[in-house]
Amino acid sequence: MSKRSATEIQASSESQGESRKAQRGEFGLHKTAPEDGMGDFEDAWEDELESDEEVVDAEASKGEDGMDVDDDVMPPIEESDEQPAAPEAFIPGVHHLEKDEILEPDDGVYVMRHNMSVDWPCLSFDILRDNLGDQRQRFPATAFLVSGTQADVPKNNAISVYKMSSLQRTQKHEDSDDEDEDEDEDALDEDPLLEYRSVPHLGAVNRIRAQPLPADSPLPPVSQPYFVASWSETGKVHIFDVRPLIEALDVPGYTIDKARTHKPAFTINSHGQAEGFAMDWASSGGANPSALRLLTGDVDSKIYLTTTTPSGFNALTQAFRTHSDSVEDLQWSPAEPTVFASCSADQSVQIWDVRAKGRRSVAGIDRAHRADVNVISWNRSTSYLLLSGGDEGGIKVWDLRNVKKSGVIAPDPAPVAAFNWHTAPITSIEWHPTEDSIFAASGADDQVTLWDLAVEQDDEETGTMEATPQGGRNVPPQLLFVHQGQKDIKEVHWHPQIPGMVVSTALDGFNLFKTISV
């Protein structure tokens, strides 16, 4: 990967990935052929007699210098009543671009759509909580992110906190009056603003996650820490306090205490030199809500737990071991503080309880996918539902009440839902923070997809619409939206304080968008 030529981080409202609501087979990336500039011509000899109207038209046809225009030489251009062809909906995997065809966005299906380019690719990020309120619907929007870079050499890497502001609505209201339209046009002319503060980080960042903060709670004061953990390619997990970086972006003139921010508050060395990707935080809640728990998993199939005490962090030395290959992702249970799930390149999903003796899994799905299981997500509202995404491109929904206990000889349970829309490995998957049937996924096929399990095919509503489009690929009714255009998409997250906002990161930067579907 080569460094971008820009010396400063740039912000642009031009999106690279666009699509359209895909429910009931609709997509919004349209193929467009080059326009033909030739018009139709009128027959100059069609009428021999001039009417009064024709005389007036003849006078109007004179040029600015009063010269008569000879219709024999230059016949007037006739306005065609023929309507231009409707744009063709582009369905990934079915349609292919021909020569001179391009993809154009359907801006009518995006409430907001922005692209942010950065100096170095940030292939992992998390959304930081802010003090701007929950359930925000008004524009312009503001979001705070934390990410880690993939620079050319280890010493050039950094952890950055971004403030993305002036995120204007990019879709006009159909029922707005002229005055509102003028205001909307003025707002659309304002470019989004990207500000950041960074701290050095040795080694590329494989994954980064921020500590959980209780819903509806304000950002902690600047005197208190706000921790993020980074999985480095060096095999170490670093924990940084980024609260002063947020303050510096919010308060002009605030001076950052580098002794507090530029060195890790704690480093986990339990994994030796084995790097990893799996990581998840949780709050202990209950009588000690400030206590934190951090799980980290490595390519050597080991999982370690780090906890907090009044005196600081405590990295436990005994590993959790059941997997036989790289641990790819980890998720704490939203309902039981001692239970977590893991997935692995050994094709399994395992359920653990930190209280169990021997540090072995207590239940699992031995063959959850026919390839590596890359990512999982635990439903925050319906705590028995777990999502998984595999290297084969499959997405599965599991009912954990059906998962067999360890040591029990029985077949693996069947998923309650399975989708094979993506044609390349699933790179990220996440349930909606409040809607228990909706989730987002991203894949190496350069798609971000939004799904709703509550949607079912309605034959009366679809009428005569073909269930399978030309090309033979069925569009699942649960597929709400397909967002395209980014290259090498790695992660996607819902913004917990801005309903419906989705943020994705890829080799070519960040996309922030909100659709009419969710």
Side-chain angles (χ1 to χ4, degrees):
M1 286 176 279
S2 59
K3 185 174 181 179
R4 297 180 180 273
S5 59
T7 57
E8 296 180 354
I9 292 181
Q10 300 174 344
S12 171
S13 61
E14 298 176 1
S15 175
Q16 296 176 346
E18 301 85 25
S19 25
R20 172 175 189 175
K21 183 178 181 183
Q23 187 175 346
R24 306 205 320 251
E26 293 185 330
F27 290 76
L29 275 175
H30 299 145
K31 296 195 297 181
T32 303
E35 295 182 0
D36 188 352
M38 184 66 69
D40 295 327
F41 288 85
E42 181 180 317
D43 183 1
W45 303 99
E46 182 176 359
D47 296 319
E48 295 183 358
L49 298 176
E50 291 183 344
S51 65
D52 293 340
E53 292 180 356
E54 288 172 338
V55 172
V56 173
D57 291 339
E59 291 295 327
S61 67
K62 293 183 179 181
E64 292 181 358
D65 55 359
M67 181 182 68
D68 290 331
V69 177
D70 188 347
D71 287 346
D72 294 346
V73 178
M74 184 174 291
I77 297 177
E78 177 183 338
E79 293 186 5
S80 174
D81 293 334
E82 183 178 350
Q83 297 296 324
E88 181 183 2
F90 183 85
I91 302 178
V94 174
H95 299 126
H96 303 280
L97 291 179
E98 304 296 337
K99 183 180 179 181
D100 296 329
E101 286 185 326
I102 59 173
L103 293 179
E104 292 185 345
D106 183 351
D107 285 326
V109 298
Y110 286 95
V111 177
M112 179 195 75
R113 179 174 56 85
H114 296 285
N115 173 63
M116 300 283 188
S117 298
V118 294
D119 283 337
W120 295 109
C122 300
L123 303 187
S124 182
F125 76 100
D126 206 356
I127 297 176
L128 297 173
R129 186 161 183 84
D130 56 51
N131 283 329
L132 301 177
D134 294 323
Q135 302 296 312
R136 306 200 295 266
Q137 299 284 357
R138 299 187 65 180
F139 291 94
T142 298
F144 288 84
L145 312 180
V146 62
S147 69
T149 62
Q150 298 270 331
D152 53 350
V153 293
K155 66 181 181 63
N156 288 341
N157 283 289
I159 288 177
S160 298
V161 173
Y162 296 103
K163 180 182 180 181
M164 300 176 176
S165 57
S166 296
L167 301 174
Q168 303 286 350
R169 173 190 291 272
T170 55
Q171 178 197 53
K172 295 182 180 180
H173 290 292
E174 293 182 0
D175 57 349
S176 61
D177 55 28
D178 293 339
E179 184 177 347
D180 291 338
E181 288 183 1
D182 292 339
E183 292 178 357
D184 289 342
E185 290 178 359
D186 292 340
L188 290 175
D189 290 337
E190 297 181 15
D191 289 334
L193 180 63
L194 178 59
E195 304 168 87
Y196 71 102
R197 296 292 185 273
S198 299
V199 296
H201 185 277
L202 182 61
V205 177
N206 293 344
R207 190 159 292 176
I208 192 165
R209 292 290 182 265
Q211 74 169 82
L213 293 175
D216 302 325
S217 68
L219 188 68
V222 69
S223 59
Q224 296 182 14
Y226 189 4
F227 292 120
V228 300
S230 65
W231 238 127
S232 173
E233 64 178 351
T234 62
K236 299 183 183 299
V237 178
H238 302 295
I239 299 174
F240 290 86
D241 179 7
V242 299
R243 183 61 184 87
L245 304 182
I246 300 174
E247 192 75 6
L249 292 169
D250 259 351
V251 180
Y254 178 83
T255 302
I256 296 175
D257 181 3
K258 292 185 177 181
R260 177 179 170 186
T261 60
H262 283 49
K263 291 183 179 180
F266 188 76
T267 295
I268 301 171
N269 296 303
S270 306
H271 298 274
Q273 295 183 342
E275 65 177 322
F277 299 87
M279 175 186 295
D280 195 34
W281 286 95
S283 173
S284 294
N288 191 13
S290 62
L292 299 171
R293 296 164 287 137
L294 176 64
L295 287 167
T296 51
D298 61 36
V299 296
D300 286 345
S301 73
K302 297 177 183 178
I303 301 170
Y304 287 94
L305 173 63
T306 298
T307 61
T308 58
T309 66
S311 59
F313 289 93
N314 178 32
L316 306 184
T317 58
Q318 186 179 0
F320 296 88
R321 300 200 65 175
T322 293
H323 288 297
S324 59
D325 208 333
S326 173
V327 179
E328 299 296 290
D329 203 4
L330 289 159
Q331 284 275 282
W332 283 103
S333 166
E336 300 177 78
T338 62
V339 176
F340 68 91
S342 64
C343 66
S344 169
D346 64 13
Q347 304 178 12
S348 76
V349 172
Q350 301 293 333
I351 308 298
W352 312 71
D353 192 320
V354 297
R355 301 168 298 183
K357 295 182 180 180
R359 298 295 175 100
R360 308 285 293 183
S361 63
V362 297
I365 308 167
D366 293 333
R367 290 293 177 266
H369 288 256
R370 56 184 173 83
D372 301 4
V373 187
N374 295 331
V375 287
I376 53 175
S377 179
W378 208 315
N379 196 304
R380 302 295 168 184
S381 303
T382 305
S383 59
Y384 56 81
L385 292 180
L386 185 81
L387 276 169
S388 64
D391 221 40
E392 81 287 1
I395 296 172
K396 296 183 179 182
V397 185
W398 303 95
D399 187 334
L400 296 179
R401 297 172 297 184
N402 301 329
V403 175
K404 63 182 180 180
K405 294 183 178 180
S406 297
V408 175
I409 300 175
D412 286 330
V416 296
F419 305 102
N420 295 301
W421 175 261
H422 286 270
T423 58
I426 303 299
T427 58
S428 182
I429 201 162
E430 186 172 280
W431 287 105
H432 190 282
T434 57
E435 300 290 340
D436 64 355
S437 64
I438 297 176
F439 66 89
S442 65
D445 55 0
D446 299 334
Q447 295 184 58
V448 174
T449 52
L450 307 184
W451 303 77
D452 188 351
L453 299 179
V455 176
E456 296 181 358
Q457 187 75 37
D458 188 334
D459 294 335
E460 293 183 0
E461 186 178 86
T462 55
T464 59
M465 187 192 72
E466 295 182 2
T468 303
Q470 185 178 3
R473 192 177 189 196
N474 183 46
V475 179
Q478 295 83 9
L479 179 57
L480 296 181
F481 202 93
V482 180
H483 176 82
Q484 297 178 85
Q486 288 181 286
K487 301 298 182 184
D488 197 10
I489 304 170
K490 290 300 183 183
E491 280 191 3
V492 59
H493 296 299
W494 300 94
H495 196 298
Q497 295 176 267
I498 306 177
M501 179 189 279
V502 178
V503 185
S504 58
T505 187
L507 190 65
D508 48 7
F510 292 98
N511 275 191
L512 299 89
F513 61 93
K514 183 176 180 178
T515 76
I516 63 172
S517 301
V518 180

